[in-house]
Amino acid sequence: MTDFITLNNDVRMPALGLGVFQSSAEDTAAAVESALRTGYRHIDTAAAYLNERQVGEGIRASGVNRDEIFIETKAWISQYGYDETLHAFDVSTRKLGVDTLDLLILHQPAPWQFDTTLEAYRALETLLGDGRVRAIGVSNFTGAHLERLMAERTVVPAVNQIELHPYFAQKENEAANTALGIVTQAWSPIGGITFYPGNWNDGTGKNPLNDPVIAAIGAEHGKTNAQVMLRWHVQHGRSAIPKSVRPERIAENFDIFDFELSADQLAQIDALDLGVRSGPDPDAVRPPGQFSIPEN
């Protein structure tokens, strides 16, 4: 079993989850089934990934009881607004084939239309109060976005899911989360998102998956770079959502609970931070209606 993190409303969340960003509809159900059979009990998806239905199929095929699985999904910015986000919950749960969600978060801060973001979060507060979700949160929020949110809303997010890996450690963002009692959850936790324009993968091949410092630490434990990085997240008290559709890689990523990094090894990994984002800037304005979410 995975280690658990207790959220700020006392809900227990498995620290390690399977992510399905960029998993095709054809691959997602099998990946989810494989993960649950391996021992994962936390699945992270999103309306904008267009594979919530297949996540539900994988959950049912696994034979694992629904009440043992922590299901997390995200509302997209085209679904923001009070009524719109309540409807987004209905759409997501229908696709997933469940009645309730363990964690529902806002996918982006969308600061250029933050009044709409605030109304979307108010809808999350309603869903939480009604017991239709067990916890609520946000994704890609900076400290400034969180400050704006908490000036207007009541419930402190339980989770802030952000890009975080050894080459982009986001120390200030994590500190802002910690100050509010928000769990930091890492997307791209092993630095696998390298294709965005202007990212740090500039053709030199520099990637934490082949970083020599991480490899040397892994050699001491008989572990891969990916396993070392995931262990680094967990020991720092973060949640991590690695993505894979390959059963052997899914199993590898889960096999991180039988070793411990020393304080010196943690510090060595901490020191690799380049401070350069590889994913999209959360303050960048997106075209209106980008990624319209189908109802079915």
Side-chain angles (χ1 to χ4, degrees):
M1 292 294 293
T2 63
D3 282 357
F4 285 82
I5 294 174
T6 300
L7 304 180
N8 58 19
N9 63 348
D10 294 327
V11 168
R12 294 175 77 239
M13 178 181 73
L16 188 69
L18 177 76
V20 296
F21 173 56
Q22 291 190 319
S23 294
S24 69
E26 294 76 17
D27 291 334
T28 297
V32 170
E33 180 181 0
S34 176
L36 292 171
R37 291 185 183 276
T38 297
Y40 289 76
R41 290 297 181 266
H42 181 176
I43 307 296
D44 170 71
T45 184
Y49 299 170
L50 305 180
N51 57 17
E52 289 174 310
R53 187 178 306 283
Q54 289 74 28
V55 167
E57 292 171 0
I59 288 171
R60 290 186 291 277
S62 74
V64 177
N65 291 334
R66 163 67 184 97
D67 60 6
E68 297 180 29
I69 304 170
F70 192 96
I71 301 176
E72 173 179 0
T73 193
K74 311 172 190 69
W76 183 245
I77 57 176
S78 63
Q79 299 173 307
Y80 284 10
Y82 183 76
D83 291 334
E84 292 85 349
T85 303
L86 292 178
H87 183 64
F89 166 84
D90 292 336
V91 173
S92 286
T93 52
R94 183 171 66 246
K95 290 178 179 178
L96 287 160
V98 299
D99 296 322
T100 61
L101 295 171
D102 297 287
L103 177 61
L104 179 59
I105 66 181
L106 301 184
H107 206 145
Q108 294 284 345
W112 63 91
Q113 56 173 42
F114 206 72
D115 287 348
T116 309
T117 303
L118 290 171
E119 285 301 287
Y121 195 80
R122 185 166 69 91
L124 298 194
E125 292 177 325
T126 295
L127 292 165
L128 179 68
D130 291 346
R132 287 179 281 176
V133 299
R134 297 176 63 220
I136 61 175
V138 295
S139 182
N140 299 302
F141 275 53
T142 65
H145 301 141
L146 291 172
E147 184 176 355
R148 290 180 68 184
L149 179 71
M150 295 319 304
E152 299 287 342
R153 298 269 62 89
T154 301
V155 177
V156 177
V159 167
N160 184 13
Q161 185 183 116
I162 59 175
E163 179 189 352
L164 202 160
H165 47 78
Y167 286 179
F168 190 53
Q170 295 233 59
K171 293 181 177 68
E172 290 184 3
N173 205 343
E174 185 170 22
N177 293 339
T178 301
L180 289 168
I182 300 169
V183 168
T184 298
Q185 185 176 74
W187 66 258
S188 192
I190 56 178
I193 305 300
T194 60
F195 56 85
Y196 289 106
N199 64 48
W200 46 257
N201 189 16
D202 58 3
T204 64
K206 192 170 179 60
N207 186 313
L209 282 169
N210 55 36
D211 186 276
V213 172
I214 298 172
I217 293 171
E220 294 184 37
H221 296 280
K223 295 292 183 178
T224 66
N225 279 32
Q227 290 169 324
V228 169
M229 285 186 276
L230 292 171
R231 185 69 202 177
W232 171 72
H233 286 292
V234 170
Q235 284 188 224
H236 274 314
R238 292 188 287 268
S239 170
I241 309 294
K243 175 261 180 181
S244 181
V245 297
R246 295 165 53 190
E248 68 275 14
R249 189 72 69 194
I250 289 170
E252 175 190 315
N253 289 342
F254 190 73
D255 186 22
I256 64 166
F257 297 99
D258 60 351
F259 75 106
E260 187 168 341
L261 300 173
S262 68
D264 179 65
Q265 289 171 336
L266 291 171
Q268 289 180 57
I269 300 170
D270 292 341
L272 297 175
D273 184 22
L274 300 175
V276 179
R277 186 185 301 277
S278 64
D281 183 346
D283 284 316
V285 178
R286 296 174 180 271
Q290 186 185 41
F291 301 146
S292 180
I293 306 302
E295 293 282 307
N296 297 307

